[in-house]
Amino acid sequence: MKNFIKSLFISAFPLYALVISIKTLLTNSFTLHNIGLLVSSIAVVLFFTMLFIKPVARTTKTLTFYSALISIGFALNLLDFNRDSLLIPLSIALGWLAYLTWYSTFNSRDMSVLDFGKKLPEFSLENTKNEMVNSRSFTGDFKIFIFFRGNWCPLCMAQIKEVVDQYKELEKRKVDMLLISSQPHKFTKNLAKKHQVPFHFLRDINNQVALQLKIIHKNGLPAGFQALGYESDVVLPTVIITDKNDKIIFADLTDNYRVRPEPATFLRIIDNYKG
């Protein structure tokens, strides 16, 4: 139920801020109250818009710039003693706080299956030719598994773009790069076609591997995205690096979907590995 509420929240909150922005602009009244509302609501709209216009692979946990704008907007509302109500500016401020501290975080992730030094369990995935491939069939000196939420997630797409830009360095180190999502295959095929690199673009059918590794995110898809062809259950953003014997030498199970490791971290882990 909590994840379902989150999926509704992440679709409704930016839309709510957009409606408030437009409604306030249409009043043509520049009181402190309205200016404060505009600053706060536009800051929310700007953040979510920029995620899609100029995707980034990671952000700070507190999103300091946007948080400061929203705080300034709320303060302006407090200074306007002629305001009718603080309900709307308060709802924007509390919505932003909920986004930072409640929606963005994954509490109590189960890391037991992916502890350092353990052997990664064997599993099967579907490749872009609709063939089932076994995780043990890749023969590189190292394997990097990036479990991403789907093409709809701008942070995931930015993270993959970063890794694609480093593919020559990964090739030098004889790394098999596996990009894994449970999204319908047409999206994964489009992603592979877009990047044209010697990576393995794979599908986790019905999230079977995510369930096996305990990295499933029930109802993790923002409400409404199902209309685009995506499924409600997704994977928690996860990166796993194994050696040629499938021993886990690195696992990033982030507790915040906006905070992810950089490719430089992968290269450093591999370069420093002593076997």
Side-chain angles (χ1 to χ4, degrees):
M1 177 58 71
K2 181 181 73 171
N3 286 343
F4 178 68
I5 294 172
K6 280 188 171 185
S7 74
L8 292 175
F9 167 82
I10 197 58
S11 295
F13 180 51
L15 181 60
Y16 173 70
L18 177 61
V19 170
I20 296 301
S21 299
I22 295 171
K23 185 177 178 180
T24 306
L25 281 170
L26 292 176
T27 63
N28 291 318
S29 174
F30 295 98
T31 63
L32 278 180
H33 176 72
N34 284 345
I35 293 172
L37 270 182
L38 275 177
V39 171
S40 295
S41 59
I42 288 177
V44 174
V45 173
L46 181 63
F47 168 70
F48 286 105
T49 301
M50 290 304 296
L51 274 183
F52 287 92
I53 292 177
K54 192 176 180 181
V56 293
R58 64 197 57 80
T59 71
T60 61
K61 284 190 175 184
T62 57
L63 294 169
T64 307
F65 173 72
Y66 296 99
S67 296
L69 286 179
I70 292 167
S71 298
I72 290 169
F74 187 66
L76 290 174
N77 278 278
L78 289 176
L79 292 173
D80 188 349
F81 297 104
N82 295 316
R83 64 183 178 273
D84 295 325
S85 171
L86 272 178
L87 182 60
I88 294 177
L90 182 61
S91 65
I92 293 173
L94 291 178
W96 183 251
L97 184 62
Y99 173 71
L100 291 179
T101 62
W102 173 64
Y103 176 81
S104 296
T105 58
F106 309 122
N107 296 322
S108 305
R109 286 189 66 172
D110 189 339
M111 304 175 68
S112 58
V113 179
L114 301 176
D115 279 345
F116 176 85
K118 284 188 174 181
K119 192 164 187 174
L120 185 68
E122 186 176 358
F123 49 80
S124 294
L125 299 157
E126 188 180 45
N127 65 19
T128 53
K129 297 178 181 178
N130 298 92
E131 301 166 336
M132 297 305 295
V133 293
N134 188 279
S135 59
R136 298 281 194 263
S137 64
F138 301 98
T139 58
D141 288 349
F142 298 92
K143 291 189 278 285
I144 300 178
F145 302 82
I146 295 184
F147 289 86
F148 67 100
R149 304 196 296 171
N151 290 16
W152 59 268
C153 173
L155 287 102
C156 297
M157 294 300 96
Q159 181 185 33
I160 289 172
K161 176 63 166 58
E162 280 188 339
V163 175
V164 166
D165 290 342
Q166 293 293 327
Y167 86 92
K168 287 292 185 183
E169 292 299 320
L170 295 165
E171 274 189 333
K172 290 178 185 176
R173 293 161 175 81
K174 298 180 181 178
V175 173
D176 280 317
M177 175 62 68
L178 290 76
L179 303 173
I180 305 161
S181 172
S182 63
Q183 66 184 357
H185 225 25
K186 61 180 179 180
F187 298 114
T188 301
K189 288 180 178 179
N190 287 341
L191 189 63
K193 184 177 180 180
K194 175 183 177 180
H195 288 300
Q196 295 290 315
V197 288
F199 292 170
H200 305 282
F201 294 83
L202 303 164
R203 183 187 180 205
D204 176 15
I205 300 174
N206 297 323
N207 282 298
Q208 292 177 357
V209 177
L211 287 165
Q212 181 183 357
L213 301 182
K214 299 183 179 180
I215 56 175
I216 185 71
H217 190 192
K218 293 285 188 179
N219 291 311
L221 184 74
F225 279 54
Q226 292 86 350
L228 300 177
Y230 294 100
E231 298 171 356
S232 295
D233 295 342
V234 297
V235 69
L236 292 165
T238 303
V239 178
I240 306 163
I241 303 179
T242 63
D243 66 8
K244 60 185 176 182
N245 297 314
D246 299 297
K247 184 174 76 172
I248 297 171
I249 63 173
F250 174 82
D252 182 85
L253 284 73
T254 181
D255 63 355
N256 188 310
Y257 89 98
R258 293 181 286 102
V259 181
R260 304 165 186 231
E262 300 179 22
T265 299
F266 309 157
L267 299 177
R268 185 176 67 253
I269 293 294
I270 290 170
D271 290 342
N272 292 337
Y273 182 63
K274 305 299 182 182

